Amino acid sequence: MSTPPPYPQGQPDNSGQQPYPGQQPYPQQSYPQQGYPQQGYPQQGAPQQGYPQQGYPQAPGYPAAPPVNYGPSARPNSIELAFKVWMGVFAVSLIADILSFFTAKQIAQKVADQLAGSGVNTSGINASPSYGGVIFALIILAAEVALVFAMRNGANWARIVLTVLAGLALLGAIITLASGVGPFSIGGLGIVQGLLNVVQIVLIAVAVVFMYKGESNNYYRTR
């Protein structure tokens, strides 16, 4: 039997046997270690992957939010309704003032008769209609219209003045009804005038309620 030829020098022995005498062992090749990251917790000082750092810039394509406007708010519906109701009050008041020119003589005579029954001298009471009183009432009415426009534009002082005038109107209506010598006591046009006065008081109360609603108060705070 022939002896198998020896492996060349430097060739590996795949049979797992020791190399032949005189041969140098096949040097083991060293492979460089791959640069794979070590699994587990990251080293101290290294940034953690997957978690953005604080202060990262805003994504492109999205504009910045506009600044918040803290200026005066728009006029709410409650103020507009209060303005319209006050205009209705003035319209009713104007009609009532015109009727009072024709009923003034009868009302004055009624007052004189009532005072005369109480032993009071009524010779100084003028039973004729007063033109000066009508003109004065129209001047007051024009001033109230100017106050309502100021209230509508956000003047809180105008709202306060209108509230005081509303209280005086309510007090005057109570005194007139309690005296028993109001327009209702003369009949005819006096009843119409008395009904207009009642409507006027109701409208004034509604206007005051609208002026002091929550949205109305917020409107005056921002003025």
Side-chain angles (χ1 to χ4, degrees):
M1 176 180 282
S2 60
T3 304
Y7 288 98
Q9 186 177 3
Q11 296 294 327
D13 184 4
N14 294 330
S15 63
Q17 299 178 0
Q18 298 293 329
Y20 291 97
Q23 291 182 350
Q24 295 182 359
Y26 182 73
Q28 297 181 358
Q29 297 181 0
S30 60
Y31 296 93
Q33 297 182 358
Q34 300 292 334
Y36 298 107
Q38 297 180 0
Q39 297 181 356
Y41 297 98
Q43 297 180 359
Q44 187 177 3
Q48 298 181 2
Q49 298 181 358
Y51 298 93
Q53 301 292 329
Q54 296 181 357
Y56 56 89
Q58 189 176 5
Y62 296 93
V68 180
N69 184 12
Y70 293 99
S73 60
R75 186 183 300 120
N77 292 331
S78 59
I79 294 299
E80 291 291 346
L81 290 174
F83 174 79
K84 293 177 181 179
V85 173
W86 274 115
M87 291 294 107
V89 170
F90 299 146
V92 173
S93 178
L94 181 60
I95 298 174
D97 289 340
I98 295 174
L99 290 178
S100 67
F101 183 80
F102 299 100
T103 61
K105 183 176 181 178
Q106 298 179 18
I107 293 177
Q109 186 63 45
K110 192 76 174 180
V111 172
D113 294 342
Q114 185 176 3
L115 293 176
S118 302
V120 178
N121 185 10
T122 60
S123 59
I125 296 178
N126 185 10
S128 62
S130 174
Y131 294 96
V134 174
I135 295 174
F136 179 77
L138 293 177
I139 293 174
I140 295 298
L141 184 62
E144 290 175 346
V145 171
L147 285 174
V148 170
F149 273 97
M151 178 274 300
R152 182 172 179 261
N153 293 330
N156 191 39
W157 63 267
R159 180 176 67 156
I160 295 174
V161 173
L162 287 172
T163 305
V164 173
L165 294 177
L168 294 176
L170 179 59
L171 181 61
I174 294 174
I175 294 175
T176 301
L177 291 175
S179 65
V181 292
F184 289 105
S185 63
I186 61 175
L189 291 178
I191 295 177
V192 177
Q193 182 183 353
L195 291 176
L196 291 176
N197 290 336
V198 172
V199 172
Q200 182 180 358
I201 293 299
V202 173
L203 292 178
I204 289 175
V206 173
V208 172
V209 170
F210 280 126
M211 287 194 306
Y212 285 91
K213 291 189 68 176
E215 55 184 350
S216 300
N217 294 330
N218 295 332
Y219 171 67
Y220 288 106
R221 291 192 191 101
T222 57
R223 304 300 294 178

